[in-house]
Each structure stands twice: as structure tokens, then as C-alpha cells.
Amino acid sequence: MKREWWHGLVGYQIYPRSFYDSNGDGIGDLPGILKKLDYLKGLGADLLWLSPMYPSPMVDNGYDISDYYGVDPRFGTLEDLDRLIAETKKRGMYLILDLVVNHCSDQHPWFQSAVADPSGKYGGYFYLKEGKDGQPPNNWRSLFGGSAWEKLPGQDNLYYLHIFAKQQPDLNWENPALREEIYRMVNWWLDRGIAGFRLDAITNLKKDLTWEDLPPDGPDGMGNISESIARMIRRDGGTRNGIGVFLSELRERCFVPHDAFTVGEASHVSPERLSEFIGEDGYFSTMFAFDAINSHIRGVCYCEDDRHMDPDAWKRDVFVNQAALKDFAFEANVVENHDRPRAASLFIPEEEYGFASVTALAGLLVLQRGMPFLYQGQEIGMTNCPFELEEFDDLSTLDNYRFSLKSGHSKEEALEGCARMSRDNSRTPMQWSAEENAGFGGGRPWLKVNPNYPRINVARQEAEYGSILNFYRRLLNFYKSEEYHEILTYGDFEPLYEDQEKIFSFRRTLGEKTLTVICNFSGSERFLSLKEDYSEVIFVNLPQVTRIGDNLILHPFQLIVTEK
Ligand code: GLC
Ligand code: CA
């Protein structure tokens, strides 16, 4: 595998709105991130991904961009961003931005011009289609609810496509003029000194241009648009008609010349297609390994999802993913982000939440093969937040609530489902201290603060040697240690004890060196007959390793790493 500058780095996602508020208006901002850079460096984060900070009406919290060349005043100024680029570089860190180019905001001048003159130049930047018999052009359901088509303002029968909210019109990538605009913008940012991008919803770029109806999959007679997207990738992939045409152009025109790092939010890529998307000749450097953490998702609404991740399903999916990758590429391993509930709540039943379980999850994430990505607050074990209906902010949560009711669930069930799965769970303000509002800043935060902040916060955990935060520091230190960084980065991955329920174990090997990770991901003590001997235990989350002959007695959620 060709060595790249970003191999072996630890990624960390910042959701700027909720990270740290420097001026007391209740909204996290860029100067706030600057203030916390040393904290992030001390944690062991190398590559920071900022969720969108561009000017935006904030219908989808910045994933609806109205100006690709700026910073929203709520978050600061372009100078603040330049300072952030400079200060990360000074610390040997890297900054990447979120590239949201499947759609823009309906307030973007391009869309405004398309509304004013649908047959003019900017009309061609969007997918505009005539309706059929007073109905939208087809039965596609948007990912945020309702038809994926909305009437263009001022028109009787002309619709525009939106995969997400109606305030997020999809950009027409079939149009070379639009693509040129995007490449110019991407290069403008890369020239400013950022190290690359996280690519938002990037496999959605290619639409089914036959615009055929989907088989209905819900009470509304519509079909989920992601089914249509998935079909396109399955069928055409990178062929002359496929998404690869856009993605390789983007790569050649922008990423290759800058030696940029890119991580794709790339859904629907099957294991056989991975090498087309990532690795040496792939469209992106890497992509998030979501296939490994989605087994709890069951139906079209949150109520139907499993309450908790089944550890054995999770393990199986990780192993399948790792097998598909073998040695041609790395995936970016995650357990949480701004679109998911907190991992400490999803992977761990409430009664088992604690130092052992949270650190076991951390170890399994970081020690796998691939690039580890953390999400703000994960390093202190932040959990889901008890929300009431009025307290939600996220538009897709509210849509899910309505959809649950329509699908026959009671109000209580719908609320319970949302409380468990809402994206707002991971968006509550970062818990810095036990001071008012978790020390997030002076003002009233834009979203509810998790009431558990007096217990779970950075200041408290800095002071406690045996805290989750200090474990994360120790873990990332171990990951990057001179002795083990090479093997933990490039070492092969091989599943162990596969048939042992809730034992999550694997081996990393590089040349003569072998590390074995064994974790009892359950709340009960386990007895494990060792298949192979080891010479030394080199890393643990819980101190005593009890061994009787060839048998290990593993405490609940104990994780140990041994060397041959
Ligand atoms: C991605 C983002 C999500 C956003 C959506 C639309 O999935 O992660 O937060 O709502 O794209 O931009
Ligand atoms: Ca602020």
C-alpha cells in the first residue's frame, strides 16, 4: 500500500455550533474552537473536521449553504478561519472542512436566479422537471419527509428536486458549468491552506435520469429516494454513465493537485465496489465505515429501530468490512457523529454505562485497522439527552415523529423513538465543566444542555486520573507510540474467537510483530480459553488481568491488548 501523509492520524469531528461559545450568544463559534485547540492537541486529535460554518439560513444547521465562499457571522469571520488554519498547522494538526455540494440552500443566489428565470443559465444548475397530472414528476420521498419535489416558486407545474429538505435544492451535476463552479470553489479553499474535506452525501450526486417511480414503501405511496440512488451506484458505479465520472473529475481537478485528504460520507457502496471509491486509485482517500454500525436500524421510523446495538451484529459487520478492505485501503472508523445518537447510549445499555464499557468501546474503535474518527464529547462519554417534543431542534427528528404517528405508532412511542435516535442527542452543547450550562459559554445555549453535565464534563475528568477522558488520552498515546504506531496503522486485521458471543477480539500483525486485542463486550464476567499464548499484556482498560493456565477471566467490559 502506498504511504500517504494522513495515514496513522486520528480524526476528530467538531460541530461548531455546539463546541464552545466565545462571545456568549449561545452559539459555538470559530474563536471558541481556537480557544480549545490545545485541549484537542492534548487529547491526541490530529485532523479536525469542522461541520459547516458557511453562511446559511440554518434550516439544516449549516448543511444548507447560501454562500460557499464565506463564514456565517454567527460562527465568526474568514479571518477567524484563517487563524484556525494557521494555529492548527502550528501545532502539527490539520483542518478539513465539510464539502456540501449535493445541494445548496434555497437562499443561494444560484437558486434565487433559477426561480427568477427557470430557463436561464441558473435554471440549469438544478433539476427542474414538469409535474404529471397536477402531481410531482414522480413518487420519490425525500430523506427528510414528503415528496422529493417542490414547486418552483411562481410556477404552476415546474418542480425542483430535493433529496433532503425543500430548502436544500439538489445541484445538477450533469451540467458542466455547475461542476466548474464547484471545482473553482473547492480549489479556492484548498489554496487557503485547509488539508482537505469531508464529502457530504457524496454518493447522492448521480440521479436516475429516467426519473422512474419507485415501488411504494410507506403509507404515503412514495418510495424512499435513497433506493433510487442505491440502484444507480449498483448499476453504473464509475462507468461512463455512473457517478465515477463526476467523482474522478472532482478528484483530478481539485484533490490530486493539492494532495488533499478526503473522507466520504458515501452510502450504498457495496464491498465489491470499495476499491473504486477509496485507496490509491479511489475517488476519495477514505470513507466512513457506516456499514459496520447500522445493524440496529430496522424500519422507516425511529420507533422500529433496535434500542441498542447488538454487540455480535456489530462485531460481525466490522469483520465483514475489514475483510472487504484487506490491504488496499483504510476506512474511517466511527461510532458517532452529528447524525446519530451518542454511542455511549446506543452501544451500551443504561445500567451498564460506566468507565469500563465506554473505554472498551473506545479501544475497539481505535485499535481496529483504519483511521479512527472521534466526535466531540465522545472522549468524556457524553450520552443521549432526555428530550421533550418541544425541545427538539432537528428538522429530520420532527419529520420522523410525524412519520411514526402516520405509521400507526402512539405519541408516546413516537417521542420515545425520537428521544433515543434523534440527531439532537449528539448536538447538545459540549460539556466543559460543572458551571452553568456546562461551561459552554456565557449565554443561553441554542439547544438543551444535557442535565448530566455536573457529572460528565471535561474539567472533572481532567482532575481524575482514572477518568474516561484520561483513558482516551492514554489510548491515543498508545496508538501513536513509537513502538506500536506502525503496526496499529498498517498491521493486518484478523478476527479471533469469532464464535464466542460478545467477545470482540482480533489480531493485528506486521512482519514479525503481533498484537492481540481481546474484549469482553458484556456486563458479565467471562471465562475465555486462550487459543494462543502471549508473552506480555501491554495495554488494558481495567488493571487486573487474571489468568489461570490457558484461561482468562475477563471482567465485564474488560479490554486487553497483548503482544506475542
Ligand atoms: C449529511 C449530513 C447531515 C445533513 C445531510 C444533508 O448526511 O451529515 O447532517 O443533514 O447530509 O446535507
Ligand atoms: Ca458565539
Side-chain angles (χ1 to χ4, degrees), residues 270-272 274 291-292 312-326 331 493 495 498 504:
S270 58
E272 314 79 66
L274 275 175
D291 285 349
D312 292 312
W314 170 43
K315 170 174 96 170
R316 186 196 59 225
D317 290 346
V318 166
F319 290 172
V320 167
N321 248 37
Q322 291 283 355
L325 286 163
K326 274 290 174 234
E331 278 197 302
F493 178 100
E498 265 185 275
F504 197 140

Side-chain angles (χ1 to χ4, degrees), residues 5 34 37 41 46 48 81-95 189-196:
W5 64 264
L34 268 164
L37 270 190
K41 177 74 187 171
D46 301 305
L48 308 180
L81 194 86
D82 286 338
R83 212 167 305 132
L84 199 54
I85 295 172
E87 290 296 319
T88 43
K89 280 190 183 159
K90 227 193 251 169
R91 290 166 177 78
M93 301 164 91
Y94 304 88
L95 188 73
W189 282 110
L190 289 169
D191 289 339
R192 262 195 129 75
I194 61 163

Side-chain angles (χ1 to χ4, degrees), residues 519-536:
C519 178
N520 167 17
F521 203 79
S522 81
S524 354
E525 199 166 81
R526 284 291 296 275
F527 210 66
L528 184 73
S529 307
L530 286 172
K531 287 190 184 147
E532 279 165 64
D533 204 3
Y534 59 82
S535 62
E536 205 187 343

Side-chain angles (χ1 to χ4, degrees), residues 60 63 103 144 164 168 198 200 265 338-339 423 427:
D60 188 18
Y63 283 92
H103 48 270
F144 290 167
F164 296 94
Q168 296 169 296
R198 176 259 187 183
D200 183 74
E265 185 198 27
H338 66 295
D339 291 331
R423 312 197 291 179
R427 299 176 180 187

Side-chain angles (χ1 to χ4, degrees), residues 26 29 87 125 136 203 226 239 262 277 286 337 403 415 441 523 525 547 556 564:
D29 46 49
E87 290 296 319
Y125 277 33
T203 36
S226 67
T239 65
T262 52
F277 283 79
T286 182
N337 64 28
F403 200 84
L415 176 60
E525 199 166 81
R547 184 173 165 177
K564 259 251 154 110

Side-chain angles (χ1 to χ4, degrees), residues 20-30 74-75:
Y20 184 61
D21 174 19
S22 72
N23 62 353
D25 65 356
I27 299 175
D29 46 49
L30 300 183
R74 279 165 276 212
F75 297 138

Side-chain angles (χ1 to χ4, degrees), residues 333-372:
N333 297 322
V334 280
V335 289
E336 60 186 76
N337 64 28
H338 66 295
D339 291 331
R340 301 174 59 92
R342 286 286 178 181
S345 300
L346 180 65
F347 286 71
I348 301 164
E350 292 78 0
E351 62 281 7
E352 289 171 354
Y353 173 90
F355 175 85
S357 53
V358 174
T359 57
L361 182 57
L364 290 173
L365 173 73
V366 171
L367 303 174
Q368 275 177 50
R369 187 173 178 283
M371 179 175 182

Side-chain angles (χ1 to χ4, degrees), residues 39 47 63 72 145 177-178 196 228 247 304 307 313-314 333 338 373 382 385 404-405 481 513 527 544:
Y39 164 80
L47 185 139
Y63 283 92
D72 191 282
L178 176 272
S228 162
L247 296 181
E304 285 155 28
R307 174 164 272 282
W314 170 43
N333 297 322
H338 66 295
F373 257 85
M382 277 178 68
C385 178
S404 300
L405 296 184
S481 63
K513 231 178 172 139
F527 210 66
Q544 286 92 1

